[in-house]
Amino acid sequence: MASVEKVKGPASYFPSIEKTYGKPVAHWFALLDGVAGRKHGEQVAFLKSEHALGHGHPNALVAYHRNHGGAPA
């Protein structure tokens, strides 16, 4: 029997982000592409102030985007 590996780290928030905000994570990554030159905290603040996300969700999106160069494969 094959075991399913549990998603860890920032990507573990993706299902909740999609359910809560009604948009795929690719939508948020596209927005982050537009502010790629900003610091981590500035990108989080952008998602919070301009798009009304909480704090944990934008932090997870920014962390993943910065560490993986965009959306998951």
Side-chain angles (χ1 to χ4, degrees), residues 3 7-9 12-13 23 25 33 39 42 44 48-49 51-52 55 57 60-61 65-66 68 72:
S3 64
V7 177
K8 298 178 184 177
S12 68
Y13 287 86
K23 298 193 183 302
V25 292
D33 286 341
K39 294 179 180 180
E42 293 171 333
V44 170
K48 289 171 68 174
S49 66
H51 300 282
H55 180 74
H57 288 159
L61 289 165
H65 189 263
R66 293 175 72 91
H68 294 91

Side-chain angles (χ1 to χ4, degrees), residues 11-59:
S12 68
Y13 287 86
F14 294 172
S16 178
I17 291 168
E18 291 179 339
K19 180 179 178 185
T20 301
Y21 302 105
K23 298 193 183 302
V25 292
H27 167 79
W28 305 110
F29 291 134
L31 292 175
L32 289 171
D33 286 341
V35 294
R38 297 184 189 179
K39 294 179 180 180
H40 179 103
E42 293 171 333
Q43 291 176 322
V44 170
F46 163 75
L47 291 175
K48 289 171 68 174
S49 66
E50 300 294 321
H51 300 282
L53 274 69
H55 180 74
H57 288 159
N59 195 48

